Amino acid sequence: RAAVILPSGLQGEQRVYSKRECLGVPQRPPYSGRLFWRAVCGPVSGRVSGGVGGAMAEYSHVKSTKLVLKGLKDKRKKKHKDKKRKRDDDEEKPDVVGGWWTVHNFGEITGTVAIEMHNSSYIHALDTGLFTVGAPHKDDEGPDPPEQLTAIKLSDSRIALKSGYGKYLGINSDAVVIGRSDAIGSREQWEPVFQDGKMALLAANSCFISYSESGDIVAKSKTAGEEEMIKIRACAEREVKRADDLADEDRGNVKSCEVNYVKKFQSFQDRKLRVNEEDSGSLKKARKDGKFHEALLDRRSKMKADRYCK
C-alpha cells in the first residue's frame, strides 16, 4: 500500500490507496473467477498490459458454448437407429423374381438357371443353335422355357450350361456363343466371376460375354464393364440359414426335445412312444447347466426301451 497526500490547497483527508488503484486497474469483482479476471485485465506485473484492446483479444480465444440451465432438458434430436436397421434389412433382402433368385456365390449355381443380361431380359435360345436376348419380362414374371438352362458343375470354379434343346453352350472361332455341342469340351466350359456384389461370365477364350449390336451373345471383352455384368438366377429351393447351429431335435421346449430324441433312439415293437413321466423341471435345470443330453439319456435309460442307453 502507498500513502498519497493531496496537494496543498485541496481540501480532503489523507487516504491510503492500494497498488491496483494507483495503477488504474479495476477492482476484482467478487463473483468472477481467475480466468475471467485475467481475460479482462491481463496479468498484473507492475503495469496493466493490453488495456481494453488486449482484453477483447483475449476474449476471442475463449470457446463460446450454449448456456445450459439446470432443469432444462436437452432437446437435441436423437439418431434413429431403427431406420438405419430397416435400411440394412432392405439391402440384404434377396432379389427374387417369380420364384427365381439371384445367386451370390459359386456354390449356389445348380440345377435349372437363367442368365439375365439386362433388367428382366434373359438369354434366349434359338432353334438355330444361336442365342439372343429375349423380350423384357414383368417384375413378377420368371424366364420362359427357351431362356432356361441347366448348370453342371465341372470343378470348384467352372461349370457347363445345357440349353433346352439338349445342347451345351460354347463359343466358336468368331467368339460367338452357340449351343450345338453334344458333349462338354474345352470350349463348353464357363467360369462365373464374383466381385463387389456383381457377376460376369468368363468364356473359354478368357473373355466375358455381352450382347452385340448384331443381336448375338459374344465373348470378346477382356475386361468386365457394365455391359458384361449379368445375373444368374436359380429356381432351386434355398436352404434357410439359421442363426444358430442347434440340431432339429434340440429346438422347442424340453418336453418336445425329449419326444424328438425318443423318436430318434427308442426301440419299440408296438409303435407306441414310451416317454418318462417324471417332472421335467430337472431337464430345464440341466439345460441351463449344459447337461441336457446327459439328463435325457438318464431318463430314457429308466424306460428300458432305448437300445443305445444300455
Side-chain angles (χ1 to χ4, degrees):
R1 294 178 179 273
V4 179
I5 308 298
L6 293 175
S8 60
L10 297 178
Q11 298 296 327
E13 60 181 17
Q14 183 175 352
R15 180 182 172 191
V16 178
Y17 291 85
S18 65
K19 183 177 179 180
R20 294 182 179 274
E21 293 176 327
C22 294
L23 295 176
V25 181
Q27 293 296 322
R28 180 184 299 182
Y31 55 81
S32 64
R34 185 174 297 273
L35 179 62
F36 177 83
W37 176 253
R38 288 184 177 180
V40 175
C41 300
V44 179
S45 58
R47 60 179 180 177
V48 178
S49 62
V52 178
M56 297 304 294
E58 293 291 339
Y59 264 123
S60 63
H61 297 292
V62 179
K63 183 179 180 181
S64 61
T65 58
K66 183 180 178 181
L67 181 62
V68 180
L69 301 178
K70 185 177 180 181
L72 294 180
K73 295 183 179 180
D74 191 2
K75 296 183 178 180
R76 289 181 297 180
K77 294 182 179 180
K78 297 181 179 180
K79 296 182 179 179
H80 297 283
K81 295 183 178 180
D82 295 339
K83 292 184 179 179
K84 183 178 180 181
R85 189 180 299 111
K86 184 177 180 181
R87 183 168 59 252
D88 295 340
D89 294 341
D90 293 339
E91 292 177 356
E92 297 177 357
K93 188 176 180 180
D95 183 8
V96 181
V97 176
W100 293 74
W101 45 274
T102 304
V103 302
H104 295 93
N105 55 68
F106 182 80
E108 294 178 343
I109 303 176
T110 180
T112 305
V113 298
I115 301 177
E116 182 179 350
M117 297 293 294
H118 306 291
N119 292 333
S120 301
S121 298
Y122 302 89
I123 291 181
H124 188 98
L126 303 176
D127 55 2
T128 59
L130 298 177
F131 293 88
T132 186
V133 176
H137 293 263
K138 297 180 181 179
D139 294 338
D140 56 347
E141 187 179 17
D144 295 331
E147 299 169 343
Q148 299 177 13
L149 308 171
T150 302
I152 303 171
K153 291 184 180 179
L154 303 178
S155 64
D156 294 337
S157 61
R158 293 181 177 272
I159 62 172
L161 298 171
K162 181 187 288 188
S163 67
Y165 296 98
K167 304 294 183 179
Y168 291 96
L169 277 67
I171 56 172
N172 59 13
S173 57
D174 296 327
V176 177
V177 177
I178 59 174
R180 298 170 181 168
S181 177
D182 294 325
I184 301 175
S186 59
R187 291 194 175 189
E188 286 74 33
Q189 298 185 18
W190 304 88
E191 182 178 353
V193 178
F194 299 89
Q195 185 175 354
D196 299 334
K198 297 182 179 181
M199 178 188 172
L201 190 60
L202 189 67
N205 60 351
S206 300
C207 294
F208 296 95
I209 67 170
S210 62
Y211 180 67
S212 67
E213 296 179 356
S214 61
D216 296 325
I217 307 298
V218 297
K220 295 183 178 181
S221 178
K222 292 289 185 181
T223 58
E226 290 297 329
E227 296 295 329
E228 287 74 30
M229 293 301 162
I230 66 169
K231 290 182 181 180
I232 292 183
R233 295 188 178 273
C235 63
E237 185 177 355
R238 303 184 67 180
E239 295 182 0
V240 180
K241 294 183 178 180
R242 293 172 175 172
D244 50 28
D245 296 331
L246 288 177
D248 294 336
E249 293 82 1
D250 292 334
R251 299 184 182 277
N253 53 34
V254 292
K255 291 296 293 183
S256 62
C257 290
E258 185 175 18
V259 172
N260 292 335
Y261 276 101
V262 168
K263 290 180 180 179
K264 184 176 182 180
F265 296 116
Q266 189 181 70
S267 175
F268 53 89
Q269 297 179 353
D270 53 0
R271 313 302 297 176
K272 292 183 180 180
L273 290 177
R274 293 180 175 83
V275 182
N276 198 312
E277 300 297 336
E278 295 180 3
D279 186 21
S280 60
S282 59
L283 290 178
K284 296 180 180 179
K285 184 176 183 302
R287 198 174 202 176
K288 294 180 180 180
D289 297 340
K291 300 179 180 180
F292 184 55
H293 291 87
E294 183 179 352
L296 288 176
L297 186 64
D298 292 340
R299 289 169 64 91
R300 293 200 307 273
S301 64
K302 295 179 182 179
M303 301 304 297
K304 298 181 180 180
D306 192 335
R307 62 179 180 273
Y308 297 107
C309 290
K310 301 299 182 180

